[in-house]
Amino acid sequence: MISVVSSGQETSMNSENKLLISSGGERVALVRECSSFLDIGKGLLGSAEPEDTQGLFGGVLLRIPAYRQRYCGLINSIHMIGMKYPLSVFWISEGRVTEKVLAEPGFHIYSPSFPSTAVIELPGRAISAFSVGDELAFEQVRVSGDVLSGGEKP
């Protein structure tokens, strides 16, 4: 079970910030948030397949810049060129899953049909983690080993 440390307690200097994603009150994923141009462009490209942490899927959340949020299609697409494993891709708008796809490695581009504010990339085995229409909760946490410390929601 994951321990949640109150914000007043010390955590290790080796801790890192992550986002804990929940759906229906159940913790589902622990992801790294990407908001810079380079991080968004890279996503999970070049990485080993994320491992689960105490039953939570690992992955990334790509924050789509405000000037691109009103668009759909190629501008908010993801590509699988160079990927070595399948991804579960979830497009998010206003905290809800609007679309999802199991993205296969190869020369493939996946584009949303609706405008999005974020994209979640998880390992392919996580495709059933969320359904279209699910409302998601995001909590900033600090991870140090097996211990999480709660933070403010983004």
Side-chain angles (χ1 to χ4, degrees), residues 64 68-78 89-94 96-100 110-119 132-133:
I64 297 174
R68 290 177 31 193
Q69 290 179 3
R70 66 180 176 271
Y71 302 104
C72 55
L74 196 57
I75 196 164
N76 290 330
S77 64
I78 62 113
V89 181
F90 304 91
W91 282 274
I92 311 301
S93 184
E94 298 181 15
R96 288 193 182 278
V97 177
T98 56
E99 296 180 63
K100 72 178 192 175
Y110 298 89
S111 301
S113 302
F114 303 100
S116 305
T117 55
V119 179
V132 172

Side-chain angles (χ1 to χ4, degrees), residues 5-125:
V5 178
S6 68
S7 55
Q9 292 179 310
E10 291 287 322
T11 56
S12 166
M13 292 297 287
N14 296 330
S15 63
E16 69 179 304
N17 291 324
K18 296 260 187 159
L19 278 178
L20 181 61
I21 305 174
S22 302
S23 178
E26 183 178 334
R27 294 173 169 179
V28 178
L30 187 62
V31 300
R32 177 175 50 90
E33 183 176 5
C34 299
S35 55
S36 76
F37 180 78
L38 291 176
D39 282 347
I40 291 170
K42 184 177 179 191
L44 289 173
L45 182 63
S47 70
E49 186 170 5
E51 295 183 13
D52 297 352
T53 302
Q54 296 184 15
L56 300 175
F57 294 112
V60 295
L61 179 132
L62 312 174
R63 292 249 184 232
I64 297 174
Y67 70 91
R68 290 177 31 193
Q69 290 179 3
R70 66 180 176 271
Y71 302 104
C72 55
L74 196 57
I75 196 164
N76 290 330
S77 64
I78 62 113
H79 70 82
M80 294 297 289
I81 301 165
M83 289 299 296
K84 296 182 178 11
Y85 54 91
L87 292 178
S88 297
V89 181
F90 304 91
W91 282 274
I92 311 301
S93 184
E94 298 181 15
R96 288 193 182 278
V97 177
T98 56
E99 296 180 63
K100 72 178 192 175
V101 67
L102 179 59
E104 296 292 339
F107 194 76
H108 305 290
I109 296 174
Y110 298 89
S111 301
S113 302
F114 303 100
S116 305
T117 55
V119 179
I120 298 171
E121 294 181 355
L122 300 175
R125 66 185 179 280

Side-chain angles (χ1 to χ4, degrees), residues 138-150:
F138 303 89
E139 180 182 1
Q140 291 181 347
V141 295
R142 292 195 58 79
V143 179
S144 178
D146 289 341
V147 179
L148 298 177
S149 60

